[in-house]
Amino acid sequence: MSHHNEVGFKLRPFQISTVVIALVGAGCAIYGFALGLGTLAQPRAGAWPFLIGLGMFIAALVLFFTERDNSDYEAFSKQSLVNVAGFGLMITYILLFKYVGFTLATLLISIAWLRWMAREPWRFVLWYSVVQTALFVVIFSILLAVPLPADPIVNLILGKGL
C-alpha cells in the first residue's frame, strides 16, 4: 500500500472571495490610474478610485495569505444575495449618474434600496428619498461646490433648461 502525499495549493472556499476582491481592487486601481491621478493638492478623477482599489487589493492579499480557517466568516445564505444586489445597485448608480445626472440617479437608487432591499413602505420610501436627494444636492452641488456632471433636474431648478 503506497501513500502518496499531494503537494500543491488548493483554494479554500473563504479564500475565493479574497481573490475576487483583489481582482476588483486591481481593476479599480487600473481604471483610476487611466483616468489620471493628479496631485495631492489637485487630485484628478482617478485619485479616489485608484486609492480605494489599491486598498482593496492590498487588504485582499493580506487576508488571502494570513487567514487560516473560515471561523470569522459568515456562511453563504439568502442574505448573501442581498449583499450582491446591493453591489449591483451601486454599479447601477454609477451608470445612472453618468447618463441622467446626480439628482435623478440618487433619487432612483434611494427608492430601489429602501423599497426592495430594506422593505420599507412606499409612503416612507418616497418622502425619505426626495428629502435625502434634496439634501445631497444642497450639500454637494451648492455648499461644497463639487463639480458634478450636467444634471438636468438641477439645471431646471436653477432656470438653465435641460
Side-chain angles (χ1 to χ4, degrees):
M1 204 159 50
S2 121
H3 293 286
H4 181 258
N5 288 337
E6 278 190 47
V7 177
F9 183 76
K10 183 179 175 188
L11 276 179
R12 293 181 212 114
F14 66 92
Q15 287 178 313
I16 294 170
S17 63
T18 61
V19 171
V20 171
I21 292 168
L23 291 173
V24 170
C28 288
I30 291 167
Y31 180 69
F33 187 79
L35 287 175
L37 303 178
T39 65
L40 287 176
Q42 292 185 321
R44 293 195 49 213
W48 281 111
F50 175 80
L51 290 172
I52 291 169
L54 185 63
M56 287 172 61
F57 180 76
I58 291 169
L61 283 181
V62 168
L63 286 174
F64 184 86
F65 289 109
T66 60
E67 290 295 309
R68 299 290 169 233
D69 62 32
N70 65 352
S71 62
D72 290 334
Y73 299 93
E74 182 178 322
F76 190 81
S77 67
K78 197 173 182 179
Q79 181 61 34
S80 303
L81 296 176
V82 173
N83 296 334
V84 171
F87 185 75
L89 274 177
M90 296 315 297
I91 299 279
T92 303
Y93 179 70
I94 292 166
L95 296 173
L96 279 174
F97 185 94
K98 183 177 180 181
Y99 294 106
V100 301
F102 177 74
T103 308
L104 190 55
T106 302
L107 179 66
L108 292 174
I109 293 302
S110 179
I111 289 170
W113 196 287
L114 290 169
R115 181 64 186 152
W116 290 290
M117 293 193 56
R119 301 195 187 283
E120 295 290 344
W122 275 110
R123 189 178 207 174
F124 173 79
V125 167
L126 293 175
W127 79 260
Y128 185 86
S129 295
V130 168
V131 170
Q132 172 189 326
T133 300
L135 284 172
F136 284 173
V137 168
V138 168
I139 291 168
F140 292 109
S141 293
I142 299 168
L143 297 177
L144 296 176
V146 172
L148 298 170
D151 191 317
I153 294 177
V154 170
N155 288 344
L156 281 174
I157 292 169
L158 297 176
K160 296 179 181 179
L162 293 173

